Amino acid sequence: SGAGGAEENYTPYGERLETYIVPIVFACILIVGVTGNGVLMVTICRHANMRNVPNTYVLSLAIGDLLVILTCVPFTFTVYVLDSWPFGLLLCKVSECAKDISIGVSVFTLTALSADRFFAIVDPMRKLHATGGGKRATRFTKVIATLIWLLAMICAIPASFSYLRVFTVNKNVTFTTCYPFPEEFGPSYPKIVLICRFCILYLFPLAIIAFFYILMARHLMQSTRNIPGEMQGQVKQIKARKKVAKMVMAFVAVFAVCFFPQHVFMLWFYLNPNAQLDYNAFWHYFRILGFCLAFMNSCINPIALYCVSGTFRKYFNRYLLCCCCTPTRRRTSIINSNRRCQSFSFTTSRRHTSSRRGQQSAINLPIWNPSNVSDTRGRSMPQEQETTVTIFQNGVEQRT
């Protein structure tokens, strides 16, 4: 939001490359983001074994990402496609607020996850982190997640002041855009908001996360040296916690990379007094890169989780490939079921015919017997009831 080149460098939207590339990128973000985060939410909500403390935070991340995808992505990309914002004031405010709420939920949740991983590894006897799946730990996590959303909403209050601002490029060209910094708040307002946003939603949380991970790495190196070789259970537990820590670190790295270009551009543009004159092709495409990466963060988390977590990968494959694999799986299930039945019948037959010369395998084939017959033990069978008769065919004992 809120940047434009010098008047003499203005190029009509129809002649810009980004007019055709950005919609394709955002269409991919929409499809991948809705699918990935949707499957992630279904996986955690439907399977009881996936409901633990770290996955509660992951669910919160997915909800925040889905919020920004559904409320921002279908509308915000028009900044690079249309001359003016076509959706009105309400959607302007909603999209800006949803974007800031999602950013806040992401970074605060990642901070909470990092703290949770730190205490799970350094102080595993605590009951309020992921080492325990008890009700107390779950309630505590839900309270923290709720507070994170409230804090993110508070941080998004400045976005609620967004309005439709008219910019004049030259005497022939004017356009209306969704602008987050009201003019009546003064020229210093954008600088204050951007600096606070950079510190609260990027710099400070990442510094706290880095602090937790440095202490965590130090503790793991020390504990690995001190663990006797025979304490294999403790070694496996530490390895499992390391896997979750790596998953969180992947999320943090994705967030840091995705939002760094946007913060750099916004700070440069609003803090540099000569930004309007210095704005050139490099800064223009750097701005587009930051714009796309910031929204791309909302669809990359499920991909990162798929890569680093074997458990989530299993569920993702089940839900994403079910349409293609359902007929094959059905046939395979039927075949396997028949094989299990045959194996069971074979075992049963061996038990009953062990005293006979030349043990035979048995396959149970129920039929309808309309007349009185005798079974292998000479007992009379009533009419019109389902029964089993043993016969020999091709060296195999079959019950019919």
Side-chain angles (χ1 to χ4, degrees):
S1 49
E7 294 182 11
E8 60 270 15
N9 295 329
Y10 178 78
T11 303
Y13 276 64
E15 301 176 12
R16 300 181 185 184
L17 184 63
E18 62 266 21
T19 302
Y20 308 98
I21 294 179
V22 171
I24 297 175
V25 173
F26 271 64
C28 294
I29 292 173
L30 184 64
I31 295 171
V32 175
V34 171
T35 304
N37 288 292
V39 170
L40 188 57
M41 292 169 60
V42 169
T43 298
I44 296 174
C45 293
R46 287 191 61 182
H47 301 279
N49 64 310
M50 302 299 289
R51 297 176 202 150
N52 52 39
V53 171
N55 287 350
T56 301
Y57 289 124
V58 172
L59 177 63
S60 181
L61 274 176
I63 295 173
D65 289 339
L66 203 58
L67 171 69
V68 75
I69 288 172
L70 295 178
T71 58
C72 295
V73 170
F75 312 109
T76 311
F77 79 95
T78 57
V79 170
Y80 291 95
V81 177
L82 303 174
D83 287 334
S84 295
W85 176 265
F87 302 110
L89 180 61
L90 179 61
L91 276 178
C92 169
K93 292 180 178 291
V94 168
S95 63
E96 288 293 324
C97 288
K99 181 175 63 177
D100 283 2
I101 290 173
S102 176
I103 295 172
V105 168
S106 295
V107 69
F108 298 146
T109 302
L110 291 176
T111 307
L113 262 172
S114 301
D116 174 79
R117 287 299 86 210
F118 171 75
F119 290 114
I121 291 175
V122 176
D123 188 13
M125 299 306 295
R126 294 188 60 193
K127 300 299 183 183
L128 297 180
H129 52 63
T131 55
K135 293 182 179 180
R136 185 185 177 191
T138 304
R139 284 197 301 266
F140 181 78
T141 306
K142 290 179 180 179
V143 170
I144 295 297
T146 303
L147 292 177
I148 285 172
W149 276 84
L150 292 176
L151 182 59
M153 291 177 185
I154 293 172
C155 292
I157 289 177
S160 65
F161 299 121
S162 300
Y163 72 109
L164 301 180
R165 180 175 175 179
V166 178
F167 286 90
T168 301
V169 179
N170 54 49
K171 59 183 179 181
N172 297 321
V173 178
T174 59
F175 60 90
T176 304
T177 185
C178 181
Y179 196 68
F181 310 122
E183 292 181 280
E184 57 267 26
F185 290 177
S188 299
Y189 177 73
K191 300 176 184 178
I192 296 173
V193 170
L194 289 172
I195 292 174
C196 292
R197 186 180 295 169
F198 174 71
C199 293
I200 296 173
L201 298 180
Y202 191 82
L203 184 61
F204 293 162
L206 290 183
I208 295 172
I209 292 170
F211 174 75
F212 278 130
Y213 269 85
I214 290 172
L215 294 180
M216 196 187 309
R218 180 184 174 186
H219 175 82
L220 287 172
M221 287 188 293
Q222 292 176 349
S223 61
T224 304
R225 297 193 199 102
N226 298 331
I227 293 177
E230 64 271 10
M231 298 180 66
Q232 295 299 322
Q234 192 170 354
V235 173
K236 291 181 180 179
Q237 193 177 40
I238 290 178
K239 286 183 178 180
R241 290 171 185 168
K242 280 183 180 179
K243 287 183 180 180
V244 182
K246 289 178 181 178
M247 176 192 76
V248 178
M249 197 63 214
F251 287 164
V252 174
V254 167
F255 179 88
V257 170
C258 287
F259 283 97
F260 181 73
Q262 186 183 58
H263 281 295
V264 169
F265 174 81
M266 297 297 284
L267 290 173
W268 172 82
F269 187 82
Y270 283 97
L271 298 182
N272 179 14
N274 298 320
Q276 292 283 355
L277 298 176
D278 295 339
Y279 190 85
N280 52 26
F282 168 79
W283 285 110
H284 180 68
Y285 290 111
F286 188 81
R287 175 197 179 195
I288 296 173
L289 174 66
F291 180 81
C292 292
L293 282 177
F295 285 98
M296 205 174 290
N297 176 77
S298 299
C299 72
I300 289 183
N301 282 341
I303 299 174
L305 194 60
Y306 183 89
C307 294
V308 302
S309 173
T311 304
F312 274 103
R313 191 182 306 124
K314 178 185 69 175
Y315 286 110
F316 269 88
N317 289 338
R318 175 186 300 180
Y319 287 112
L320 292 177
L321 304 179
C322 63
C323 294
C324 300
C325 299
T326 297
T328 304
R329 285 184 178 178
R330 233 177 242 161
R331 289 194 296 269
T332 304
S333 177
I334 293 172
I335 293 172
N336 291 337
S337 177
N338 290 337
R339 287 177 179 173
R340 285 194 298 270
C341 290
Q342 291 175 8
S343 176
F344 175 77
S345 298
F346 176 77
T347 303
T348 305
S349 176
R350 286 178 64 96
R351 291 175 181 171
H352 288 290
T353 62
S354 59
S355 60
R356 299 178 184 178
R357 184 176 180 180
Q359 293 181 352
Q360 307 291 336
S361 63
I363 302 177
N364 293 329
L365 300 173
I367 61 171
W368 190 262
N369 184 9
S371 60
N372 290 334
V373 295
S374 297
D375 63 7
T376 55
R377 299 179 182 177
R379 291 179 299 187
S380 177
M381 307 296 295
Q383 290 187 354
E384 296 186 356
Q385 74 174 32
E386 190 177 5
T387 184
T388 301
V389 180
T390 303
I391 62 174
F392 287 90
Q393 181 177 352
N394 297 328
V396 178
E397 180 182 353
Q398 298 185 357
R399 298 190 175 199
T400 61

